[in-house]
Amino acid sequence: MAASPPVSALPWYDRRDYPALLKLFSDPHMLPATYDAWLNHAEQIESQLQKAGFAVARIWIRPVPFAAWCRERNVSPDQRARLTFANEAARNLSARQ
């Protein structure tokens, strides 16, 4: 039985949510100002990870659930929180499979 490739979780955003997410995030300067610029960059990262042998899990970050998740953990809605949220969600997906 072949080993599964390591999974890399990528925070992923919906075009309609992007403006609200930028307002929610405590570090909006860490992301491109437009959704199209973000999507182009995210797809490049996804492609690089796949070429390196990683399976990529796109983890959707929605404004209301992410804000609630941050409040429950008393964390700032920043890049670290986005990555932690995505990694937790990816682990939960893997555990269910």
Side-chain angles (χ1 to χ4, degrees):
M1 186 164 142
S4 297
V7 175
S8 184
L10 276 183
W12 212 260
Y13 313 116
D14 185 273
R15 178 181 299 277
R16 293 164 297 191
D17 292 335
Y18 199 70
L21 287 168
L22 289 179
K23 288 179 184 173
L24 168 66
F25 296 156
S26 61
D27 60 351
H29 61 280
M30 297 292 291
L31 294 164
T34 67
Y35 179 82
D36 289 328
W38 169 81
L39 181 61
N40 183 47
H41 185 258
E43 288 175 338
Q44 288 176 6
I45 292 170
E46 181 180 47
S47 178
Q48 290 170 352
L49 288 167
Q50 290 168 336
K51 287 177 184 171
F54 290 89
V56 176
R58 291 181 178 184
I59 304 299
W60 291 98
I61 295 185
R62 305 282 187 193
V64 173
F66 182 67
W69 182 91
C70 289
R71 275 192 308 274
E72 289 169 5
R73 287 157 181 78
N74 196 31
V75 297
S76 178
D78 60 11
Q79 184 176 25
R80 180 179 291 192
R82 293 188 294 274
L83 292 173
T84 300
F85 179 90
N87 284 317
E88 283 183 13
R91 279 193 301 274
N92 290 338
L93 285 173
S94 294
R96 285 185 279 181
Q97 294 176 353

